[in-house]
Amino acid sequence: MVGIVIVSHSLKLAEGVVDFVREMAKECPIAIAAGRVDGSYGTSLELIESAIDSVMSDEGVIVLVDMGSSILTTEMAIETRGTDKIKLADAPLVEGAMAASIDSQMGMSMNDILIDLEQIWTERKHDY
């Protein structure tokens, strides 16, 4: 299965997203990288790298982020890994996490999950 990583500035926010996702995708490998190492709000390269490593598989890892610096820090984490098996999804955090986790549990490939997430985000933009 494709692993999923939730990157957030807030541990409580990330835990809430994962709790919600687990209602539909209990078997999907999912990890949290939230806050800084000292427990404060923010993002941490070290925590993101650790979360990616914890759910890495031959099928790859998709990372979803909340906002701002989580994007830049995640991009750095992906670059340090030097593999094309880790992708940052351009999708809303909650909807993206739910869809990606269900798709992964169904056995979809990383590329097919990313296409699904792109469609979700494209459709969602029209709702605004």
Side-chain angles (χ1 to χ4, degrees):
M1 271 184 260
V2 175
I4 307 297
V5 173
I6 305 300
V7 177
S8 175
H9 288 74
S10 165
L11 180 58
K12 286 183 182 181
L13 175 63
E15 288 173 337
V17 171
V18 172
D19 285 346
F20 185 59
V21 166
R22 287 278 179 233
E23 290 296 315
M24 297 295 293
K26 291 177 179 29
E27 303 302 318
C28 178
I30 189 165
I32 293 173
R36 294 192 174 120
V37 175
D38 66 5
S40 63
Y41 289 110
T43 57
S44 162
L45 180 63
E46 180 182 340
L47 292 177
I48 296 169
E49 289 174 335
S50 178
I52 289 170
D53 292 345
S54 75
V55 295
M56 178 56 81
S57 71
D58 289 340
E59 289 80 24
V61 174
I62 293 174
V63 183
L64 292 115
V65 301
D66 62 0
M67 61 183 191
S69 66
S70 61
I71 298 166
L72 297 173
T73 311
T74 297
E75 288 173 341
M76 284 190 289
I78 292 170
E79 286 177 25
T80 64
R81 292 297 180 255
T83 179
D84 62 352
K85 290 190 175 199
I86 309 165
K87 301 291 183 185
L88 175 59
D90 183 15
L93 180 62
V94 177
E95 289 167 299
M98 182 65 79
S101 298
I102 292 169
D103 289 351
S104 174
Q105 189 167 289
M106 291 173 39
M108 290 175 65
S109 71
M110 183 169 62
N111 287 333
D112 287 343
I113 295 170
L114 291 168
I115 290 168
D116 191 31
L117 292 176
E118 184 178 325
Q119 289 174 323
I120 289 168
W121 187 225
T122 300
E123 291 170 11
R124 180 77 166 149
K125 285 180 184 177
H126 295 303
D127 291 342
Y128 293 116

